[in-house]
Amino acid sequence: MASSLGNEKSVNPVLRISQLDALELNKALEQLVWSQFTSCFHGFKPGVLAHFEPEIKAFLWLLLWRFTVYSNNATVGQAILNIQYKNNFSQTEKYQPLSKQQKLWYLIFTVGGRWLEERCYDLFSNPRLQSFCRIKSYINLGTGLLKLCGLLNFLVFLQKGTFATLTERVLGIRSVFCKQQGARQVGFEYMNRELLWHGFAEFLIYLLPFINVQKMKVKIASWYLPVAGLSNNEATSAAHCKECSLCGEWPTMPHTIGCSHVFCYYCIKSNYLNDMYFTCPKCGSEVQSLQPLIYKIEMTELH
């Protein structure tokens, strides 16, 4: 009696945007499951999963199918959005769950098709199997035709609003709402706040490329770390050649820009390429000429 009442549920058509959102949620879930699974092997040798990656993915997607479509007639993304699959081949307009054959063919088309595509790609990328180029061309042709059919199906879906994927159209499974959807009521204050935030974010994205962050950091550092004028005697020059004025480490390939301070070649070159008006963070002198340090100092002398 209860099952008969359950089958008498009315069918509520699903909006196009809800069906597309369900597909995106399914992709996000698969990526999350795969990332969590691969994180268990971070301590192992790199590439330990590479040879069996298509099979491992197929096994994980099989588990997802078992506890979603096979058990509840809905994927995870559909369950979140209150959507279920309906057997569209049934003669009645009332809700009819998917048959076992439809569920199994759904598994073959989705999980099996993706496994076959990935495994064929690995096989034909092997240089030992170059003699099967003709078979590879046929497989590529078939894959291209399937993608073309998927594109045509998507265009029909945008027009009619049913069967978001080619698999759903072939198997005759249609997305419907489990329960009657209520009208959404969104306050104007919330909408204004969202519009204001998005406008501010777009303004920042447009403005940030015009801000020279590196120059601002160097300028602020020169205010807080001022250095008085240096004497020109040999001892003072030797003392200030011990460290790069940018990174503070022992200068690698020391260079000067015309002032009494020393820089690593890569430090000063990268900053100068980033900012043509670069100034010394110690004394504020502009780059006159980038020259190797003429004053040779041995490390033993500095100690």
Side-chain angles (χ1 to χ4, degrees), residues 1-10 94-96:
M1 184 68 180
S3 60
S4 62
L5 291 176
N7 292 338
E8 294 300 320
K9 292 189 296 184
S10 60
K94 299 297 182 180
Y95 176 78
Q96 291 291 334

Side-chain angles (χ1 to χ4, degrees), residues 1-293:
M1 184 68 180
S3 60
S4 62
L5 291 176
N7 292 338
E8 294 300 320
K9 292 189 296 184
S10 60
V11 174
N12 303 310
V14 180
L15 300 176
R16 296 174 178 85
I17 187 63
S18 297
Q19 298 183 56
L20 296 178
D21 286 343
L23 294 176
E24 293 299 323
L25 287 173
N26 293 334
K27 293 179 183 178
L29 174 69
E30 291 176 357
Q31 293 177 359
L32 179 61
V33 171
W34 179 247
S35 63
Q36 292 291 327
F37 180 81
T38 54
S39 65
C40 301
F41 295 86
H42 280 175
F44 289 77
K45 182 180 179 180
V48 67
L49 300 178
H51 299 292
F52 308 100
E53 183 173 333
E55 286 73 22
I56 295 173
K57 284 186 176 180
F59 178 73
L60 293 176
W61 308 159
L62 173 63
L63 291 179
L64 289 178
W65 168 85
R66 172 60 181 83
F67 295 103
T68 55
V69 176
Y70 186 81
S71 301
N72 302 321
N73 295 307
T75 63
V76 175
Q78 290 176 328
I80 294 175
L81 298 176
N82 190 31
I83 300 174
Q84 271 186 329
Y85 275 137
K86 169 187 177 296
N87 186 356
N88 204 54
F89 289 148
S90 61
Q91 300 297 327
T92 177
E93 289 296 326
K94 299 297 182 180
Y95 176 78
Q96 291 291 334
L98 301 182
S99 63
K100 290 186 177 181
Q101 290 78 8
Q102 286 176 317
K103 295 177 181 179
L104 291 175
W105 279 111
Y106 182 89
L107 172 67
I108 294 172
F109 285 166
T110 55
V111 179
R114 289 164 59 181
W115 170 82
L116 183 63
E117 181 180 4
E118 294 182 6
R119 179 48 66 191
C120 288
Y121 177 81
D122 291 341
L123 286 177
F124 290 112
S125 61
N126 191 340
R128 299 179 181 177
L129 301 177
Q130 293 300 325
S131 58
F132 296 94
C133 292
R134 192 171 183 179
I135 300 177
K136 180 181 179 181
S137 62
Y138 289 149
I139 293 178
N140 291 335
L141 178 61
T143 304
L145 291 176
L146 284 176
K147 291 184 178 180
L148 179 61
C149 294
L151 175 61
L152 295 177
N153 176 79
F154 184 73
L155 295 177
V156 176
F157 163 74
L158 292 179
Q159 181 181 9
K160 296 186 177 181
T162 55
F163 306 115
T165 63
L166 185 62
T167 301
E168 295 177 2
R169 185 174 297 276
V170 172
L171 297 180
I173 54 179
R174 181 182 172 186
S175 298
V176 295
F177 280 123
C178 304
K179 300 177 182 179
Q180 185 69 33
Q181 295 295 102
R184 296 183 179 179
Q185 296 181 358
V186 182
F188 286 103
E189 294 182 358
Y190 173 79
M191 294 177 63
N192 291 335
R193 186 165 61 251
E194 287 295 316
L195 290 174
L196 181 63
W197 170 249
H198 284 294
F200 180 68
E202 291 179 359
F203 174 73
L204 287 181
I205 293 173
Y206 174 77
L207 183 63
L208 284 177
F210 295 97
I211 301 176
N212 194 332
V213 180
Q214 184 68 22
K215 187 173 182 179
M216 293 176 59
K217 289 169 61 177
V218 172
K219 193 68 176 177
I220 295 174
S222 64
W223 292 344
Y224 287 97
L225 299 172
V227 177
L230 301 175
S231 61
N232 294 326
N233 58 43
E234 185 172 307
T236 306
S237 299
H240 284 272
C241 288
K242 291 182 179 180
E243 64 178 24
C244 171
S245 298
L246 287 174
C247 65
E249 301 294 335
W250 182 274
T252 304
M253 299 174 60
H255 279 64
T256 61
I257 61 175
C259 63
S260 57
H261 298 96
V262 180
F263 306 87
C264 298
Y265 171 75
Y266 297 105
C267 293
I268 186 60
K269 190 66 175 179
S270 58
N271 280 274
Y272 183 63
L273 289 176
N274 184 52
D275 181 14
M276 295 182 61
Y277 302 99
F278 175 79
T279 58
C280 176
K282 300 293 186 180
C283 61
S285 301
E286 294 185 359
V287 179
Q288 299 177 3
S289 61
L290 187 59
Q291 296 293 337
L293 184 63

